[in-house]
Structures are given as C-alpha cells and as structure tokens.
C-alpha cells in the first residue's frame, strides 16, 4: 500500500476543471517528496523537464502505433512510467506500464485503447504537480 500524504487537498485547476480535492488523489505527495529526498528545488527542476518532455513522449507513442513500431511505444511508455512514478502519480504510472507491456508484446491494437487514458492521466498529473509547486512556493515566500 502506498504511503498516504497528510497534505491538505488542492483546489481545482482552472486548466482542467478538476474538482477540489481530486489533485490530492492524483499525486502521492509523500512518495514524490521521498523520491527527491525532500529537495523542492530538485523537484521543481525535474517537473520542468517533465512538463517540456512528456508531450513529445506521448506524441512518440502515437507515432509508434501509427508506424507499427512497438519498440518506440515501449521505450516512450517506459520513460513516462518512471517519470510519473517519481512524482507519485501512481495511477498514471500504472497506465504507462500497461502501454509499455503491450508495446513490448507487440500488441499495438491494445496500446491504442490505453493511449487516451494515458494522455488524460498525464494531463491530470501535470496539473496536480503544477498546483503543488505553486502551493509550496507560496508557503516558502515571506509575507
């Protein structure tokens, strides 16, 4: 069972319209902070890289499906899986794992069924991570 966070729920993201409290379910904050040894500056750097690179990874998965290239699908899904796990986005990481497994097996028709879900999960994880980083920044800013 994953560690539970005692952090208060975040509000809705204007970009996604996700209901209040939902972001707390998207990220396992305790796991996320443990993965960066409580270093918020490192977390911010990794998040910026993820925000920049994840759209390309998702696009490459779609390209891999279209071009019947299971190795590309597997590799990109593996990369996303690890990054999502780093941020404690366990549900999204699990979907990426399914895509990776289907890619490894060459079952691209099965991958297609998971891609939209993966894209939605990545979007939710990005929104929740962005909200969390804004929240901790405001807590650290002197008033």
């Amino acid at each position: 069972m994953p560690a539970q966070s005692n952090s208060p729920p975040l509000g809705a993201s204007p970009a996604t319209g996700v209901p209040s409290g939902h972001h707390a379910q998207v990220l396992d904050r305790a796991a996320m902070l443990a993965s960066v040894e409580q270093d918020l500056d490192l977390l911010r750097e990794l998040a910026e890289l993820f925000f920049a690179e994840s759209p390309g990874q998702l696009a490459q998965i779609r390209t891999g499906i279209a071009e019947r290239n299971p190795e590309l699908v597997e590799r990109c899904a593996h990369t996303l899986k690890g990054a999502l796990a780093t941020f404690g986005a366990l549900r999204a990481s699990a979907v990426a794992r399914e895509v990776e497994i289907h890619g490894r097996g060459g079952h691209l028709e099965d991958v297609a069924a998971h891609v939209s879900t993966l894209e939605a999960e990545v979007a939710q994880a990005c929104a929740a991570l962005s909200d969390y980083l804004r929240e901790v920044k405001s807590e650290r800013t002197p008033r």
Side-chain angles (χ1 to χ4, degrees):
M1 180 172 184
Q4 297 295 315
S5 172
N6 292 328
S7 302
L10 298 173
S13 167
T16 62
V18 175
S20 180
H22 179 72
H23 284 173
Q25 299 169 9
V26 173
L27 301 179
D28 180 334
R29 292 180 179 186
M32 174 177 60
L33 291 171
S35 74
V36 295
E37 297 179 352
Q38 313 300 316
D39 185 338
L40 293 176
D41 292 327
L42 176 59
L43 178 64
R44 190 172 312 284
E45 288 177 35
L46 292 174
E48 288 172 10
L49 284 170
F50 182 70
F51 295 151
E53 294 178 6
S54 61
Q57 295 292 328
L58 290 165
Q60 288 294 313
I61 290 171
R62 288 223 179 255
T63 297
I65 294 168
E67 295 178 355
R68 308 287 308 154
N69 184 341
E71 294 82 15
L72 179 61
V73 171
E74 178 187 5
R75 185 177 63 247
C76 292
H78 178 81
T79 299
L80 281 171
K81 177 186 74 174
L84 290 162
T86 296
F87 299 120
L90 305 180
R91 200 174 60 224
S93 182
V95 175
R97 181 177 183 276
E98 287 298 312
V99 171
E100 177 187 17
I101 290 168
H102 290 303
R104 183 178 311 126
H107 306 287
L108 296 182
E109 61 283 346
D110 295 332
V111 169
H114 293 286
V115 173
S116 294
T117 302
L118 179 59
E119 289 170 336
E121 290 288 344
V122 168
Q124 288 179 6
C126 286
L129 182 57
S130 181
D131 284 352
Y132 176 75
L133 292 171
R134 274 193 301 276
E135 178 185 286
V136 295
K137 182 179 181 181
S138 69
E139 289 173 2
R140 293 172 69 184
T141 304
R143 297 179 198 254

